[in-house]
């Protein structure tokens, strides 16, 4: 499953540099699938939606740091545990119960993001 950042976030910036998939963004920041990945142009997301990887998307949160679910792999293939959760001083990086994924699916997503 992907990780989410709850509204308990204090916007400390600890998590953003830890994410190997560039899935974490500052509040009110537009984001792309292409940013810090191998994705470009027309793509199909892991959830089956066709999008332009280079197109800027609206922020998911206006107030708190946020994680793009289609870019989050829980750090599978990079680390033993989600790095955002391990560095968060207020424990607001938690599993997203609305985005349940198997370890196999998370590793496939990592390969998709990084052209492996």
């Amino acid at each position: 499953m992907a990780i989410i950042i709850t509204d308990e976030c204090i916007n400390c910036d600890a998590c953003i540099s830890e994410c190997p998939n560039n899935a974490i963004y500052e509040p009110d920041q537009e984001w792309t699938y292409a940013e810090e990945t191998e994705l470009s142009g027309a793509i199909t997301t892991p959830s089956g939606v066709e999008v332009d990887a280079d197109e800027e998307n609206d922020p998911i949160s206006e107030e708190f740091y946020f994680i793009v679910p289609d870019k989050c792999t829980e750090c599978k293939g990079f680390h033993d545990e989600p790095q955002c959760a391990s560095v968060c001083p207020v424990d607001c990086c938690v599993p997203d119960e609305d985005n349940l994924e198997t370890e196999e699916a998370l590793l496939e997503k990592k390969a998709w993001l990084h052209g492996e």
Side-chain angles (χ1 to χ4, degrees):
M1 72 184 70
I3 303 294
I4 59 170
I5 298 175
T6 68
D7 61 5
E8 295 163 355
C9 178
I10 59 172
N11 296 328
C12 71
D13 203 30
C15 60
I16 205 163
S17 63
E18 297 298 321
C19 182
N21 300 311
N22 198 51
I24 304 174
Y25 292 84
E26 294 179 13
D28 202 29
Q29 182 180 1
E30 292 184 339
W31 60 275
T32 70
Y33 286 96
E35 197 168 16
E36 301 294 325
T37 71
E38 294 297 318
L39 303 174
S40 184
I43 61 165
T44 302
T45 68
S47 56
V49 178
E50 292 185 23
V51 297
D52 179 350
D54 302 299
E55 183 178 324
E56 290 192 338
N57 296 281
D58 291 334
I60 293 174
S61 173
E62 304 286 327
E63 297 179 56
F64 307 102
Y65 279 72
F66 62 88
I67 298 174
V68 175
D70 279 340
K71 292 179 76 175
C72 178
T73 64
E74 293 184 39
C75 296
K76 295 292 183 194
F78 294 104
H79 305 284
D80 292 334
E81 63 183 351
Q83 295 301 286
C84 57
S86 70
V87 300
C88 182
V90 293
D91 296 325
C92 68
C93 297
V94 299
D96 181 358
E97 299 296 330
D98 292 332
N99 285 302
L100 301 176
E101 297 171 286
T102 65
E103 183 171 347
E104 180 181 341
L106 293 167
L107 289 170
E108 287 175 8
K109 188 189 309 183
K110 175 193 178 275
W112 172 73
L113 287 166
H114 300 285
E116 299 173 352

